[in-house]
């Protein structure tokens, strides 16, 4: 059988292949299928089938991403932004964050402790470096101040 024969791989088969390797967000799967040059109707049908069978689930995907990202030391602000970029709805993001029950202040403190140890920053330059690191990780200013033990009078 040659490549141009009548046996064409369907969008659903390709979608199942992607989903068998790892979870995907719906938007991410749509983009991959569009990259394979399937028509919009065929993509919509494949996505609908995957949703109906539970193979594609943005809530499950979001929960997985949040758990893994917390383990990597990321903060809520960065996580929310990355999930929005992946096309996850605000409602699902909020629900998953309510379910995960993380104390973001303690999480920030743990991340700072893993990165910097127990030593205090002795120079202004070192304090700024630590603050920028925590900010990049996605923690807000109150969480960073708590984690780095920065007082308002400093």
């Amino acid at each position: 059988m040659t490549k141009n024969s009548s046996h064409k791989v369907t969008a659903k088969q390709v979608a199942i292949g992607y989903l068998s390797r790892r979870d995907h967000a719906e938007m991410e799967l749509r983009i991959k299928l569009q990259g394979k040059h399937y028509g919009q109707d065929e993509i919509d049908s494949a996505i609908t089938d995957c949703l109906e069978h539970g193979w594609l689930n943005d809530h499950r995907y979001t929960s997985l991403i949040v758990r893994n990202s917390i383990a990597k030391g990321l903060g809520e602000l960065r996580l929310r932004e990355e999930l929005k970029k992946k096309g996850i709805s605000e409602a699902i993001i909020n629900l998953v964050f309510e379910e995960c029950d993380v104390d973001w202040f303690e999480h920030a403190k743990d991340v700072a402790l893993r990165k910097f140890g127990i030593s205090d920053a002795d120079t202004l330059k070192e304090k700024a470096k630590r603050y920028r690191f925590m900010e990049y990780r996605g923690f807000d200013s109150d969480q960073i101040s708590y984690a780095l033990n920065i007082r308002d009078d400093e």
Side-chain angles (χ1 to χ4, degrees):
M1 213 176 232
T2 64
K3 264 188 170 180
N4 294 333
S5 68
S6 63
H7 182 66
K8 182 184 176 210
V9 179
T10 66
K12 181 179 175 182
Q13 290 169 322
V14 172
I16 291 170
Y18 284 132
L19 293 170
S20 70
R21 289 187 279 286
R22 72 168 179 86
D23 268 337
H24 287 69
E26 182 180 334
M27 185 178 90
E28 180 182 26
L29 188 58
R30 280 185 186 281
I31 290 169
K32 285 186 175 189
L33 293 175
Q34 288 167 351
K36 297 281 186 186
H37 305 292
Y38 289 105
Q40 196 58 48
D41 290 341
E42 191 175 1
I43 292 171
D44 290 343
S45 176
I47 295 290
T48 300
D49 284 348
C50 290
L51 288 168
E52 287 173 355
H53 285 91
W55 302 325
L56 181 63
N57 183 314
D58 276 357
H59 183 272
R60 181 181 63 225
Y61 174 78
T62 304
S63 296
L64 178 70
I65 294 294
V66 168
R67 279 193 312 273
N68 289 341
S69 297
I70 288 171
K72 290 178 184 176
L74 297 184
E76 183 178 6
L77 298 176
R78 181 162 170 195
L79 273 168
R80 284 182 178 276
E81 192 60 37
E82 288 180 6
L83 290 167
K84 286 177 192 172
K85 286 179 185 176
K86 291 179 182 282
I88 305 297
S89 74
E90 192 74 33
I92 290 175
I93 293 171
N94 290 335
L95 181 62
V96 169
F97 276 100
E98 286 173 20
E99 294 171 350
C100 76
D101 193 36
V102 172
D103 182 339
W104 293 103
F105 286 88
E106 289 303 319
H107 179 55
K109 194 172 196 172
D110 291 342
V111 170
L113 186 61
R114 279 191 310 212
K115 176 68 176 176
F116 305 115
I118 58 172
S119 67
D120 287 333
D122 48 355
T123 66
L124 198 54
K125 184 178 178 179
E126 180 63 22
K127 286 179 185 179
K129 177 183 170 187
R130 291 181 182 195
Y131 193 94
R132 281 191 310 273
F133 171 82
M134 296 298 290
E135 195 173 46
Y136 172 75
R137 284 298 183 103
F139 296 101
D140 68 28
S141 59
D142 291 338
Q143 294 162 351
I144 295 169
S145 295
Y146 176 82
L148 298 178
N149 199 20
I150 299 171
R151 294 182 308 275
D152 288 336
D153 58 348
E154 288 186 21

